[in-house]
């Protein structure tokens, strides 16, 4: 990684699973008697419906209507996607927020690129100050707002343009290996997030910490 030192000048963060803890299972626990049925719903229906909600600015109820017609036995759970989405959002991940704040203290430019439905952005929480760290970002690209989502190469290129960064200048941090790999292909330097300490080690290796 020594060849990266000096070329990387900014960090682009994914949000869910990196800076914000979330688990969609928390929306649906009361709707399924067994973990097996819940997991079947997630695999068979949820992720497709979730992605569809990213691809439109329409209300969740409108986007989910076809899924309710096709899977009437899952209708209550699909309704819960629209009404109880915030149950999935558990709040900031303090260890990673601390890394973000270390970068800010060093005047390293930080940005965010997240797959997040426009309908539920920004994240809501009883304690609004919990998300004050979002103010550190010099720019945020939200998939639902731009109608693109990772790992589509177009969203990374759009982010680089909006953030004013050239290829190779940004370390992109994502919890999903496929998204990190796609970022590398699109001109960023992808890093799969495994832990705050692992990220801190990578940031030190590229000369940002």
């Amino acid at each position: 990684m020594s060849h990266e030192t000096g070329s990387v000048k900014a960090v682009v963060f994914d949000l869910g699973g990196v800076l914000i803890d979330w688990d969609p299972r928390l929306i649906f626990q009361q709707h399924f008697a067994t973990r097996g049925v819940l997991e079947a719903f997630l695999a068979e229906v949820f992720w497709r419906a979730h992605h569809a909600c990213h691809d439109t600015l329409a209300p969740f109820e409108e986007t989910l209507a076809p899924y309710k017609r096709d899977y009437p036995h899952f209708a209550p759970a699909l309704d819960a996607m629209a009404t109880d989405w915030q149950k999935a959002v558990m709040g900031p991940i303090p260890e990673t927020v601390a890394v973000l704040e270390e970068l800010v203290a060093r005047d390293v430019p930080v940005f965010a690129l997240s797959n997040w439905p426009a309908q539920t952005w920004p994240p809501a929480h009883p304690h609004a100050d919990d998300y004050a760290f979002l103010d550190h970002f010099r720019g945020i690209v939200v998939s639902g707002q731009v109608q693109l989502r990772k790992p589509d190469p177009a969203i990374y290129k759009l982010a680089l343009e909006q953030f004013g960064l050239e290829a190779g200048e940004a370390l992109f941090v994502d919890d999903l290996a496929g998204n990190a790999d796609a970022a590398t292909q699109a001109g960023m330097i992808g890093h799969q997030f495994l832990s705050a300490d692992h990220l801190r080690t990578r940031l030190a290796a590229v000369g940002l910490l």
Side-chain angles (χ1 to χ4, degrees):
M1 287 185 286
S2 60
H3 67 283
E4 296 174 357
T5 304
S7 63
V8 181
K9 70 176 189 180
V11 182
V12 180
F13 285 88
D14 176 31
L15 295 178
V18 176
L19 283 161
I20 299 174
D21 201 5
W22 84 294
D23 185 349
R25 292 169 181 80
L26 299 177
I27 304 173
F28 307 115
Q29 286 175 335
Q30 65 181 343
H31 296 282
F32 298 101
T34 68
R35 179 65 177 260
V37 178
L38 169 56
E39 294 300 325
F41 164 73
L42 292 175
E44 185 179 355
V45 182
F46 170 76
W47 288 111
R48 286 192 293 123
H50 177 60
H51 291 154
C53 290
H54 282 72
D55 294 339
T56 177
L57 298 176
F60 272 15
E61 291 86 352
E62 179 181 325
T63 306
L64 295 174
Y67 295 90
K68 290 173 64 177
R69 288 195 297 269
D70 292 344
Y71 302 94
H73 52 300
F74 287 145
L78 289 163
D79 284 337
M81 279 184 67
T83 60
D84 299 333
W85 179 262
Q86 294 300 341
K87 288 183 178 180
V89 183
M90 295 181 283
I93 300 173
E95 297 82 0
T96 322
V97 173
V99 175
L100 171 68
E101 291 174 343
E102 288 177 44
L103 291 167
V104 172
R106 289 173 169 263
D107 203 29
V108 176
V110 292
F111 304 89
L113 168 57
S114 181
N115 277 0
W116 199 292
Q119 300 88 340
T120 62
W121 179 263
H125 195 275
H127 304 289
D129 288 348
D130 287 353
Y131 292 100
F133 70 87
L134 293 173
D135 293 336
H136 290 312
F137 294 119
R138 302 187 186 188
I140 301 177
V141 169
V142 176
S143 64
Q145 293 178 337
V146 299
Q147 306 291 276
L148 295 167
R149 54 184 162 85
K150 299 173 290 182
D152 186 336
I155 197 169
Y156 301 101
K157 294 176 181 177
L158 175 67
L160 286 172
E161 290 176 8
Q162 290 198 9
F163 301 157
L165 297 170
E166 300 293 335
E169 290 184 337
L171 182 74
F172 174 69
V173 183
D174 196 295
D175 60 317
L176 299 181
N179 289 345
D181 292 343
T184 299
Q185 294 298 316
M188 296 183 181
I189 298 170
H191 171 82
Q192 184 183 9
F193 178 80
L194 301 177
S195 70
D197 286 341
H198 182 253
L199 173 59
R200 189 177 279 107
T201 298
R202 181 68 182 276
L203 291 168
V206 299
L208 296 181
L209 285 182

